[in-house]
Amino acid sequence: MSLRERPRADASRPTPRSPAAADLVATLGGTAVRMGPWTAVALVVASVAGLAMFAWPLFVQAAPTGAGHAVDAPYVFAAVLPLLVVIVLASMAEGGMDSKALAMLGVLSAVNAAMRPLGAGTAGIETVFFLLVLAGRVFGPGFGFVLGCTSMFASALLTAGVGPWLPFQMLTSAWIGLGAGLLPRRARGRGEVAMLAVYGVLAAYLFGALMNLWFWPFVAGAGSLGDGTLAYVPGAPLLDNLHRFGVFTLVTSTGGWDTGRAITNAVAIALLGPAVLATLRRAARKASYDPVRARD
């Protein structure tokens, strides 16, 4: 066949993607920082230990006191830091996190810390979570877990918000970043943004409930709620105390602070999500040493 007879390519026809690129999201998990088995084990251990730090008064009789977690909070904080180091080292050893990912972690932590004072928590308006959700989505569950901790720690230093509540805020934020990285990977486009917005709403209420659980057994049990019907009862059955805690959360925070936080997350993700996701993915591609993953 001569060159004159060779058929021309149809410029209007979309270029087909290779099978590897087409299935990349499903086959490789679609995250910029992969999570190996040891990283997963470290995340499970850290999450179980963290949940025990929140919920132990539900299983062990605790004496209500106004001191709350003022005594054990430094020990919780001291336990959180080594867990973060273990997660980062496990991820680096398994080839998931490298020097560029650590640099990205530092940049996003600083940005998140700088954005937190913008809302200052007034009426539940908190601007620290939407970027955490989007970054966890792009960089994966391990990265999101560490970013949640470092963002809260950095922002607490910036806003003078260091107190016995800080290690519990770090753990709760870490779970938000972790959950964002574990969401289904095939969603893209508007469906992905809608999924992340819904997750942001649920994460806002989860954050409020867990931070209520942080102080409820001590403050409510000390008689701060008047008749004590919503108070923690030392030694009561688990379901009884859970019912009291659920009503306490509904009455004190669900309709106010938590809803304000949920609206803030949903609006920020809906408006800024597409641009931020594209920017983070572009940065991940530029920083990737993996030629296959770099095509995602």
Side-chain angles (χ1 to χ4, degrees):
M1 179 181 295
S2 65
L3 293 177
R4 183 172 300 177
E5 296 172 337
R6 183 176 301 171
R8 295 181 178 180
D10 187 358
S12 62
R13 183 180 301 172
T15 303
R17 302 176 65 189
S18 67
D23 295 331
L24 194 61
V25 173
T27 56
L28 295 181
T31 59
V33 178
R34 73 181 73 186
M35 182 176 65
W38 287 111
T39 305
V41 170
L43 288 173
V44 170
V45 172
S47 296
V48 171
L51 192 59
M53 295 172 188
F54 276 94
W56 67 265
L58 297 176
F59 301 95
V60 179
Q61 185 170 338
T65 170
H69 284 283
V71 177
D72 62 348
Y75 299 102
V76 176
F77 184 74
V80 169
L81 294 182
L83 289 174
L84 288 181
V85 173
V86 170
I87 292 171
V88 171
L89 290 179
S91 182
M92 293 182 71
E94 293 176 327
M97 196 173 291
D98 53 21
S99 57
K100 292 183 178 180
L102 288 177
M104 180 63 70
L105 178 67
V107 170
L108 291 177
S109 299
V111 171
N112 235 358
M115 288 197 304
R116 190 177 184 186
L118 298 179
T122 304
I125 300 175
E126 293 180 291
T127 54
V128 72
F129 295 109
F130 87 95
L131 182 58
L132 174 60
V133 171
L134 298 175
R137 170 68 176 173
V138 172
F139 291 99
F143 187 96
F145 186 95
V146 178
L147 179 61
C149 286
T150 55
S151 294
M152 275 295 166
F153 180 69
S155 64
L157 295 179
L158 188 64
T159 60
V162 178
W165 55 84
L166 177 58
F168 298 92
Q169 287 182 335
M170 291 170 62
L171 282 170
T172 309
S173 300
W175 287 325
I176 293 175
L178 172 70
L182 293 175
L183 292 173
R185 308 306 310 181
R186 283 196 174 276
R188 283 293 192 266
R190 293 180 180 178
E192 181 182 34
V193 174
M195 178 183 69
L196 293 174
V198 171
Y199 176 76
V201 171
L202 298 177
Y205 287 109
L206 173 66
F207 182 87
L210 286 175
M211 289 312 298
N212 285 343
L213 184 58
W214 165 73
F215 69 87
W216 170 72
F218 306 99
V219 175
S224 62
L225 294 182
D227 59 3
T229 55
L230 303 181
Y232 167 77
V233 178
L238 174 62
L239 292 180
D240 186 17
N241 269 330
L242 282 178
H243 173 72
R244 289 168 173 266
F245 171 69
V247 177
F248 171 80
T249 297
L250 287 173
V251 171
T252 58
S253 68
T254 299
W257 294 87
D258 296 347
T259 298
R261 186 183 304 113
I263 294 174
T264 303
N265 288 350
V267 171
I269 291 173
L271 294 180
L272 304 177
V276 175
L277 285 173
T279 301
L280 294 178
R281 286 188 170 124
R282 189 179 304 115
R285 284 195 299 270
K286 296 292 185 183
S288 178
Y289 290 115
D290 189 332
V292 176
R293 190 173 295 273
R295 296 202 302 264
D296 188 18

